Amino acid sequence: MKKGNIIIKNAAQLVTCSGFSAKKGREMSNLSIIENGSVIVTGGIITFVGKSANCPPLSDFPEHTVIDATDKAVLPGFVDSHTHFIFGGYREEEFSWRMRGDSYMSIMERGGGIHNTMTVTRNASFEELKEAGRKRLDKMFAMGVTTVEGKSGYGMNKETELKQLEVMKALDEEHPIDIVSTFMGAHATPQEYKGREDAFLDYLIKEVMPLVKDKNLAECCDIFCEKNVFDIQQSRRYLTAAKNLGFKLKIHADEIVTLGGAELAVELGALSADHLLQASDKGIADLANSNTVATLLPCTAFSLKEDYARGRFMIDSGCAVALATDLNPGSSFTNSIPLLFALACIYMQLSPEEAVTALTINGAAALGIADKIGSIDVGKQGDLVILEYPSYKFLPYHIGMNIVEKTIKNGVIFN
């Protein structure tokens, strides 16, 4: 992608979120703000961060575009570290069923849910999936997302899993947003393997996972570790096979029942354990004593009318917490960053500072790339957002409204 040259000067707040690894516990409140700050991006890389008074003369940079950010806050580009944004079809009927009292798992057990989307995604063409994905990325980008994780898992066969990942690879090459791809063939058990979950995992491990690796189609591997989906033993076997092939690990953990998924994530050295609505005290303590990020998805709890993950308790316990939208056609059909901020602060009791950290440097850490993105530091990518307002505190305060004025990727202004 194109690399740009820009200078942003006079920012009311330059919210740097400075750091090169996940922030844990109390550290999450430290945003390293520079008032009346400036940042210079040269060739797509940040080369200066500091007070505007200390910024080199603009005459030294004749090829740079200059942006006056007076009365604006400037932040790192947002990192949405858990989505399923490549899929076919929608599940609006199932949403109405849930509103009348049907549970997510009961719908899934009778052939709806993930299986519904699987059928449509298998039948969708490469171009159909790509065009739908492009539109979703455009909306993410307008809300300040500059890096997104995308999972497969709506194929659960070799052909469609590869198709989903190939769509993401094509979009990564064409769209400004950087895409980190995750192979999640173990999202559920397809009907053709019903009652033979171990055989299905064998198929994924022996026939699909090596192809994904050989074709370099995914950096991470994930599994839905849940009661009546894949248990702890099965998840350990699957993720160990992925780790042996060189994949980074992520895990859908302890969403519906307390199963021990958080503990397993720590045991295997996963980048993140995600959902965690039902994570045990021990699981949370294990996360706090590890480098595994606790990725929380409040839009999903909101959509399912479930209790939220214990974000406040996790941070107070010393965890590194990230936030993500979980965009998918079933349990969280939204990519709304404004909604995410509001839910995290109002219902999960994160402070605005912690929420910003969770969606920047900690989101980057949940993808294993906090050394490259997630903060405004010299040497990192020039991924930035400029807000309409002078403070980051407007992000949760202006409820449900997009206040991103400009999204900048690798030093290039896109809106």
Side-chain angles (χ1 to χ4, degrees):
M1 297 300 296
K2 185 179 179 182
K3 312 292 184 182
N5 303 315
I6 63 164
I7 299 174
I8 302 174
K9 64 176 187 176
N10 303 327
Q13 291 180 339
L14 189 60
V15 184
T16 69
C17 301
S18 183
F20 292 83
S21 61
K23 296 185 179 182
K24 304 176 73 170
R26 293 180 181 178
E27 296 174 357
M28 289 183 62
S29 295
N30 182 11
L31 296 182
S32 300
I33 296 170
I34 300 172
E35 295 182 355
N36 192 16
S38 292
V39 56
I40 300 175
V41 180
T42 303
I45 300 298
I46 297 169
T47 55
F48 172 84
V49 181
K51 288 275 191 182
S52 293
N54 299 327
C55 185
L58 299 184
S59 57
D60 291 351
F61 303 90
E63 296 184 357
H64 284 59
T65 299
V66 179
I67 300 173
D68 188 340
T70 299
D71 294 328
K72 315 284 186 184
V74 178
L75 290 82
F78 301 136
V79 181
D80 192 347
S81 60
H82 180 130
T83 83
H84 305 253
F85 80 96
I86 297 297
F87 58 85
Y90 297 94
R91 306 213 302 261
E92 71 283 357
E93 189 66 30
E94 293 179 13
F95 182 84
S96 68
W97 295 345
R98 291 209 313 275
M99 294 307 98
R100 74 186 187 199
D102 294 9
S103 73
Y104 176 81
M105 290 304 289
S106 71
I107 292 171
M108 184 171 168
E109 286 165 4
R110 65 177 188 253
I114 293 168
H115 296 103
N116 186 335
T117 300
M118 178 195 72
T119 300
V120 184
T121 305
R122 284 183 176 184
N123 292 331
S125 71
F126 180 94
E127 287 302 326
E128 287 170 338
L129 292 176
K130 184 180 175 185
E131 184 56 27
R134 186 194 311 279
K135 290 178 180 177
R136 293 171 195 137
L137 290 175
D138 288 345
K139 292 179 179 179
M140 294 177 195
F141 200 55
M143 293 187 185
V145 173
T146 52
T147 300
V148 67
E149 185 256 16
K151 303 179 192 294
S152 66
Y154 289 126
M156 292 176 275
N157 63 13
K158 180 167 61 179
E159 296 74 20
T160 312
E161 289 296 309
L162 294 178
K163 179 172 63 176
Q164 281 189 273
L165 293 168
E166 286 165 351
V167 166
M168 282 186 261
K169 184 174 184 178
L171 287 170
D172 185 42
E173 293 170 353
E174 298 174 13
H175 199 279
I177 290 182
D178 284 337
I179 300 169
V180 176
S181 296
T182 295
F183 169 56
M184 197 181 175
H187 199 184
T189 303
Q191 290 299 321
E192 57 266 33
Y193 279 93
K194 188 172 178 60
R196 299 188 297 126
E197 289 79 10
D198 286 313
F200 176 57
L201 291 179
D202 286 339
Y203 162 71
L204 293 176
I205 291 169
K206 295 175 182 178
E207 297 191 34
V208 187
M209 199 183 285
L211 267 179
V212 173
K213 190 64 180 179
D214 289 345
K215 292 175 176 286
N216 195 28
L217 291 177
E219 299 171 41
C220 307
C221 190
D222 197 345
I223 189 170
F224 192 3
C225 180
E226 187 57 69
K227 182 181 178 181
N228 298 326
V229 189
F230 299 107
D231 63 25
I232 292 292
Q233 183 178 347
Q234 291 167 331
S235 299
R236 180 184 289 110
R237 181 165 72 90
Y238 176 83
L239 291 176
T240 299
K243 187 174 184 177
N244 289 340
L245 279 177
F247 287 100
K248 301 173 185 177
L249 305 184
K250 301 175 77 68
I251 181 171
H252 283 51
D254 301 320
E255 179 183 5
I256 313 276
V257 300
T258 305
L259 202 67
E263 293 91 326
L264 179 63
V266 173
E267 173 192 325
L268 296 177
L271 289 175
S272 68
D274 300 24
H275 284 291
L276 301 173
L277 278 67
Q278 305 297 330
S280 69
D281 288 354
K282 181 182 184 302
I284 291 170
D286 287 356
L287 287 168
N289 291 314
S290 75
N291 293 320
T292 299
V293 176
T295 299
L296 309 184
L297 314 170
C299 295
T300 309
F302 176 73
S303 176
L304 295 178
K305 296 195 293 185
E306 298 286 350
D307 291 338
Y308 292 87
R310 294 184 288 165
R312 176 76 270 139
F313 179 74
M314 291 179 189
I315 293 173
D316 290 344
S317 297
C319 293
V321 168
L323 291 168
T325 64
D326 192 21
L327 170 63
N328 72 78
S331 60
S332 181
F333 186 42
T334 182
N335 59 280
S336 176
I337 296 301
L339 176 62
L340 181 63
F341 269 113
L343 295 177
C345 293
I346 297 171
Y347 292 105
M348 296 174 64
Q349 290 83 51
L350 271 68
S351 69
E353 294 79 13
E354 291 164 344
V356 169
T357 295
L359 201 61
T360 55
I361 187 66
N362 280 10
L367 299 178
I369 48 177
D371 59 329
K372 299 176 183 176
I373 63 167
S375 66
I376 305 176
D377 281 305
V378 170
K380 288 197 175 185
Q381 289 180 194
D383 297 353
L384 308 160
V385 295
I386 302 177
L387 304 185
E388 298 174 359
Y389 294 97
S391 171
Y392 65 88
K393 292 180 180 178
F394 280 82
L395 286 162
Y397 165 58
H398 199 19
I399 296 174
M401 301 300 293
N402 183 22
I403 62 170
V404 172
E405 183 177 276
K406 289 184 173 64
T407 304
I408 297 164
K409 181 66 182 178
N410 292 321
V412 178
I413 306 166
F414 284 91
N415 62 339

